[in-house]
Amino acid sequence: MSTYGQFCPVAKAMELLDERWTLLVVRELLRGSAHFNDLRRGVPKMSPALLSKRLKSLTRAGVIERSEIDGRTNYSLTPCGQELAGVVDALGSWGVRWIGELGEQDLDPHLLMWDIRRTITVADWPRSRTTVAFILDGVAPKASRWWLVVADGQADVCDFDPGYEVTGTVQTSLRTLIEIWRGDTGWARSVLDGSVALSGPGEVRRAIPKWLGQSTAAAIPRPA
């Protein structure tokens, strides 16, 4: 690990935390990911080898701990790592408020659908199995179709047809869906201006925006 050669606590902290992807791995652990494959879904553009390397360095630093539960490797934050929650939240709020421009390279459907899957309020969904399909315009064919399935109090997201009856469909561009999810715009406005098309029975079309909601970032006030 390279050093800044300074006694400043900020410099010492950044010797660990400013390595590429490190804070995003911490973000995923804070959001509930506990297994290697779940962490990969939260950082889909990070190579498995680099993720493994970062997990090892964070373990050595005492930020996370590794354990075996039912034959599976489990990663969790130590009290030291949990203290980074405020840092990650503050960076996220600052990024929403001041770094709002999204380049085409930032529009990742895999991360978006994974974040939707783990953030939705399942209690707001019907008790019977409910499947919402997504058709994302302007995306490579293999990443343009997604299915969000809620059943038995659990949510799952698939990039292949799971074979269940589709309750309703959301068709929009990837950029628009990300902007809604981040809170840059809202469901009502996007449906009204035609940038989002909702299909299904009337009660389903009305319910989908509530079922999906928005990320926690949507509540962060923007500068005037």
Side-chain angles (χ1 to χ4, degrees):
M1 184 185 301
S2 60
T3 70
Y4 288 107
Q6 294 189 1
F7 62 81
C8 167
V10 174
K12 297 306 295 179
M14 293 306 291
E15 287 175 1
L16 172 68
L17 298 177
D18 76 348
E19 287 191 302
R20 185 170 174 81
W21 297 104
T22 296
L23 267 182
L24 298 187
V25 173
V26 172
R27 177 199 68 190
E28 291 306 302
L29 290 161
L30 286 166
R31 292 184 179 178
S33 293
H35 302 108
F36 192 87
N37 286 339
D38 289 342
L39 288 165
R40 284 206 64 202
R41 295 184 78 174
V43 283
K45 295 181 180 179
M46 185 181 189
S47 73
L50 185 55
L51 174 57
S52 180
K53 181 179 179 180
R54 291 293 182 265
L55 289 170
K56 289 176 181 177
S57 65
L58 287 168
T59 300
R60 287 195 300 269
V63 174
I64 66 176
E65 58 186 358
R66 173 177 169 164
S67 58
E68 296 291 328
I69 299 178
D70 297 328
R72 296 185 69 189
T73 301
N74 187 78
Y75 297 96
S76 60
L77 291 163
T78 64
C80 163
Q82 289 287 348
E83 281 195 24
L84 289 170
V87 175
V88 172
D89 288 346
L91 281 171
S93 297
W94 185 84
V96 164
R97 289 172 58 80
W98 301 110
I99 312 293
E101 184 175 349
L102 295 176
E104 289 300 315
Q105 73 277 7
D106 302 322
L107 308 181
D108 187 337
H110 300 85
L111 175 58
L112 172 64
M113 299 309 301
W114 178 244
D115 204 31
I116 290 175
R117 173 258 179 197
R118 66 183 173 189
T119 304
I120 59 169
T121 303
V122 173
D124 290 339
W125 288 61
R127 295 187 177 220
S128 57
R129 178 187 289 121
T130 304
T131 302
V132 173
F134 295 80
I135 302 174
L136 302 179
D137 301 328
V139 179
K142 65 179 181 180
S144 65
R145 298 294 299 270
W146 296 83
W147 291 262
L148 180 63
V149 182
V150 174
D152 301 322
Q154 301 291 325
D156 198 11
V157 65
C158 307
D159 59 359
F160 58 88
D161 189 346
Y164 302 129
E165 181 181 357
V166 172
T167 310
T169 301
V170 178
Q171 182 166 4
T172 184
S173 70
L174 175 58
R175 178 178 289 276
T176 296
L177 190 56
I178 287 174
E179 288 174 347
I180 293 172
W181 188 242
R182 282 169 38 105
D184 301 328
T185 188
W187 281 104
R189 176 183 295 181
S190 299
V191 171
L192 187 62
D193 68 18
S195 57
V196 171
L198 303 178
S199 303
E203 65 273 16
V204 170
R205 296 198 306 271
R206 291 188 291 272
I208 284 176
K210 180 183 178 183
W211 291 347
L212 297 177
Q214 293 173 292
S215 74
T216 54
I220 298 169
R222 269 61 168 178

